[in-house]
Amino acid sequence: MSLFEHHEFDNHKEVVFCNDEKSGLKAIIAVHNTNLGPSLGGCRMFPYANSGEALTDVLRLSKGMTYKAAMANLNQGGGKAVIIGDPRTQKSRDMFLALGDFIERLGGDYITAEDSGVAVSDLHATAERTQYVSGIKAKFTYDGSPADGNPAPGTAYGVFVGLKTTVEYALHSSLDGVKVAIQGLGHVGYRLAKHLRDAGAELYVTDIFPEQLEKAREELGATVVQPNDIYGLDVDVFAPCALGAILNDNTIPQIKAKVIAGAANNQLAREALGSVLRSKGICYAPDYVINAGGIIDIYHQTQDGTPDDLRKHLESIGDTLREIYIRADETDQANNLVANVIAEERFNK
Ligand code: NAD
C-alpha cells in the first residue's frame, strides 16, 4: 500500500495511522489542508475490508472537507478520521479515549466531530482526552428553538436558502407555486419540505418509509410518488435528500426539472456529469456547497456568537451559489467544476 503515489493522495499535510493494542483501535487520521485554519471533519467508523480501503476513504473525504470549509466561508481546513471496525459490535469507550490521545498529539491540526457509525456519546469519551472535539455541546440553533446538537435543522435551512437562490437565478421566480420533487424525507428532507411549503411551493415527495410519506401528505399537503417515479416528474426543481450518486446515466435522461438542489452528499456519480447537466440547461447546486449548513452550525457551537450570526452565515450559502452560477455562465463551465476552482482559489491563496 503506497501513500504518496496513492490515486487519492492530493498533497495531504499529514496522514496518521493510529494503532492502540489495548483497546483494539485501528484508525487513520488525514489532515488535507490547514491553510485557512485547523482541519475539521467527522470521524467515521466502518467495517472496511482492509486498511487500503480505509486509506482511500480518508484521503478522499478529508480533501472534500477542505473544499467544503472554503466554500462555507469558514476559517478552517479539511480533515477526517476513519476507524476500522463494525460500529454495531466493535465499539468501546477505551477505543474513543485512545482516539482522543492520538488527536491531542496532532496539537490542534485536526478537530473531530461525529460521522456515520460514530455518535455524539462516543465522542464524549474522546473529549476526555483532547480539547479538539466539536459538535458535542450545542448552545443554540439558528431560529432560537431548543438546541439538541443535531445539525440537520441548520443543513435544511441552508439547503432551503440555496434552493431559493437557485430558483431565483435560473428560473427568475420566487418559490410561490414552484413545483419541487423531494427524494428522501429524513432529518433534512422533511425540514426542507416544511420550509418550502411555508414559501408556497407545491411538493412532490418520495421515501422508502411510508410513515414519513403519510405525514407529509397530511401535514404539508404533499403529493406522494413511488421512489422510481421521482426523477421523471414534470416539476421545476429536483431536491435529492437521500442517496449519493443519484445523478447518473440512468436518472439524468429522465429529469425534467431545470434546477437540481438538495442535501445529499456526492450526488454526481462522476464529476463529468456536471457538464451533461449544463448542456441540458439544468442548473445544479453543487452538493458540498448547498449542504454546508451542518458544518456551519457545528462551527458556531464552538464560537461566542449568537443565533443571528449563525442564521446569517447559513444564508451566505445563497451568495456563494450565486457567485458560482455567474462565473459558470461567464466561462461556460459546469457549476461543480467552477465551485472546485473557487474553493481552490480560497484555500490556496
Ligand atoms: P436520513 O437518513 O435522516 O434521511 C434519508 C431519507 O432518505 C430517509 O428517510 C430514507 O428512508 C430515505 N431514502 C433512502 N433511500 C431512499 C430511496 N431509494 N428513495 C427515496 N428515499 C430514500 O439522512 P439525512 O440526515 O436527512 O441526510 C440526507 C442526505 O443529506 C444524506 O445524503 C446526507 O449525507 C446528507 N447530508 C446530511 C446532513 C445533516 O446535517 N444531516 C448534512 C450534510 C449532508
Side-chain angles (χ1 to χ4, degrees):
M1 182 176 54
S2 55
L3 175 59
F4 296 130
E5 301 75 17
H6 195 289
H7 63 279
E8 293 289 354
F9 181 76
D10 178 64
N11 225 3
H12 286 69
K13 182 176 171 184
E14 287 159 283
V15 180
V16 181
F17 290 76
C18 313
N19 180 46
D20 181 60
E21 200 178 357
K22 199 165 132 258
S23 66
L25 174 76
K26 286 201 162 35
I28 311 176
I29 300 170
V31 174
H32 175 251
N33 188 293
T34 57
N35 287 353
L36 294 176
S39 75
L40 173 71
C43 174
R44 174 173 287 195
M45 183 165 183
F46 187 79
Y48 296 101
N50 52 54
S51 47
E53 259 189 23
L55 179 65
T56 301
D57 215 24
V58 79
L59 290 176
R60 186 176 59 82
L61 294 169
S62 56
K63 177 182 171 184
M65 290 306 296
T66 301
Y67 284 72
K68 188 165 194 162
M71 292 308 270
N73 296 312
L74 292 170
N75 50 356
Q76 285 184 320
K80 205 82 185 180
V82 296
I83 299 176
I84 301 169
D86 188 334
R88 287 165 308 173
T89 56
Q90 290 179 292
K91 262 188 198 176
S92 71
R93 178 179 147 76
D94 284 350
M95 202 175 248
F96 285 94
L97 287 171
L99 178 72
D101 291 334
F102 283 107
I103 292 172
E104 184 65 20
R105 254 176 245 143
L106 290 172
D109 256 6
Y110 171 62
I111 302 169
T112 199
E114 71 171 310
D115 200 335
S116 57
V118 173
V120 167
S121 53
D122 299 322
L123 292 182
H124 280 293
T126 306
E128 288 177 32
R129 297 289 177 82
T130 180
Q131 55 182 305
Y132 305 117
V133 180
S134 66
I136 57 171
K137 271 185 277 171
K139 291 195 284 196
F140 50 74
T141 54
Y142 77 91
D143 62 358
S145 56
D148 64 359
N150 179 1
T155 304
Y157 184 60
V159 173
F160 168 69
V161 170
L163 189 154
K164 185 166 166 277
T165 303
T166 312
V167 166
E168 282 165 5
Y169 185 87
L171 307 180
H172 311 290
S173 164
S174 74
L175 287 173
D176 197 22
V178 160
K179 293 180 181 167
V180 184
I182 304 178
Q183 179 183 49
L185 291 176
H187 291 103
V188 179
Y190 201 88
R191 289 178 168 90
L192 171 65
K194 275 189 177 167
H195 286 301
L196 290 168
R197 190 273 320 259
D198 292 348
E202 203 178 304
L203 302 179
Y204 296 78
V205 297
T206 194
D207 201 289
I208 48 175
F209 286 119
E211 304 84 57
Q212 288 295 83
L213 293 171
E214 205 38 55
K215 201 170 147 208
R217 196 194 325 250
E218 278 178 19
E219 226 178 67
L220 309 175
T223 302
V224 171
V225 304
Q226 291 301 312
N228 283 336
D229 295 339
I230 196 78
Y231 307 106
L233 293 178
D234 194 6
V235 293
D236 304 295
V237 182
F238 174 45
C241 297
L243 314 159
I246 40 78
L247 300 177
N248 54 48
D249 296 322
N250 174 38
T251 59
I252 290 175
Q254 301 176 51
I255 294 174
K256 297 197 184 78
K258 288 293 175 213
V259 165
I260 299 178
N265 277 316
N266 305 316
Q267 293 173 26
L268 293 168
R270 39 178 215 287
E271 287 270 1
L273 290 174
S275 304
V276 175
L277 294 177
R278 182 169 180 84
S279 67
K280 283 175 63 100
I282 296 174
C283 188
Y284 164 66
D287 47 14
Y288 72 86
V289 180
I290 194 169
N291 74 13
I295 190 177
I296 291 172
D297 188 315
I298 288 172
Y299 171 80
H300 277 263
Q301 304 305 330
T302 65
Q303 305 296 304
D304 295 324
T306 64
D308 205 41
D309 295 332
L310 170 57
R311 189 179 50 75
K312 286 194 182 118
H313 199 155
L314 292 169
E315 288 171 356
S316 75
I317 289 174
D319 303 327
T320 305
L321 286 171
R322 199 175 292 106
E323 182 184 345
I324 293 168
Y325 302 150
I326 291 170
R327 175 112 56 116
D329 281 345
E330 281 169 1
T331 58
D332 193 19
Q333 286 194 76
N335 293 346
N336 56 314
L337 301 182
V338 170
N340 293 347
V341 169
I342 295 176
E344 284 159 12
E345 287 169 2
R346 290 184 182 185
F347 70 76
N348 281 329
K349 74 175 175 215

